[in-house]
Amino acid sequence: MKIKESAENYLETILILKKRMGEVRSIDIVNELSYSKPSVSIAMKNLRENGFVIVDKDGYIDLTEKGREIAETMYERHTIISNWLMFLGVEESTALEDACRIEHVISAESFEALKKHVYENKELC
């Protein structure tokens, strides 16, 4: 399933915040991404309506199975690509920024080849 890059970013951010904090609310996303409250509110509504997140009565956000699948894919891509770029000598801030862009456009085939190469060459991990 193909979704917009912004939706992928929101889902990945929810996953990261959930790992870091245990529970996630819209304000946490606002603070993490430095987006406006209305922007995050609209995004959460769209993600909820499309079945990627659920929001409980207290405002806590959780990923659905399909939301988690996308978030974990983006997180894995981001992690492997940024680590690989840093191994190649790219400064961390640049590697993280570039990985954030690359993770959304790289094909599954190319990413799997890159991932295989990285894991076969343990020094890259």
Side-chain angles (χ1 to χ4, degrees), residues 9-69:
N9 281 334
Y10 277 108
L11 295 171
E12 182 182 12
T13 299
I14 293 167
L15 178 70
I16 290 166
L17 290 172
K18 195 114 172 107
K19 288 180 180 203
R20 187 186 314 153
M21 301 170 23
E23 296 180 320
V24 180
R25 297 179 77 166
S26 289
I27 193 65
D28 302 317
I29 299 166
V30 166
N31 293 333
E32 183 75 11
L33 297 175
S34 299
Y35 292 168
S36 71
K37 289 179 185 180
S39 293
V40 172
S41 179
I42 290 168
M44 290 306 104
K45 179 181 182 237
N46 290 335
L47 290 173
R48 189 177 65 250
E49 288 176 352
N50 287 293
F52 296 110
V53 300
I54 53 173
V55 182
D56 73 13
K57 63 181 175 54
D58 296 320
Y60 291 101
I61 301 164
D62 207 355
L63 297 166
T64 62
E65 186 175 326
K66 72 179 185 174
R68 177 172 297 286
E69 184 177 310

Side-chain angles (χ1 to χ4, degrees), residues 29-119:
I29 299 166
V30 166
N31 293 333
E32 183 75 11
L33 297 175
S34 299
Y35 292 168
S36 71
K37 289 179 185 180
S39 293
V40 172
S41 179
I42 290 168
M44 290 306 104
K45 179 181 182 237
N46 290 335
L47 290 173
R48 189 177 65 250
E49 288 176 352
N50 287 293
F52 296 110
V53 300
I54 53 173
V55 182
D56 73 13
K57 63 181 175 54
D58 296 320
Y60 291 101
I61 301 164
D62 207 355
L63 297 166
T64 62
E65 186 175 326
K66 72 179 185 174
R68 177 172 297 286
E69 184 177 310
I70 293 166
E72 288 176 349
T73 296
M74 291 300 105
Y75 184 72
E76 177 186 41
R77 287 179 175 199
H78 184 88
T79 303
I80 288 175
I81 293 168
S82 60
N83 287 342
W84 176 65
L85 290 171
M86 286 184 283
F87 174 81
L88 294 175
V90 177
E91 185 176 321
E92 182 178 6
S93 62
T94 303
L96 293 172
E97 197 174 298
D98 288 348
C100 195
R101 287 193 296 270
I102 294 167
E103 71 190 41
H104 300 286
V105 296
I106 192 170
S107 69
E109 179 183 0
S110 293
F111 178 72
E112 287 304 315
L114 174 64
K115 185 169 115 175
K116 180 181 177 197
H117 176 76
V118 166
Y119 285 123

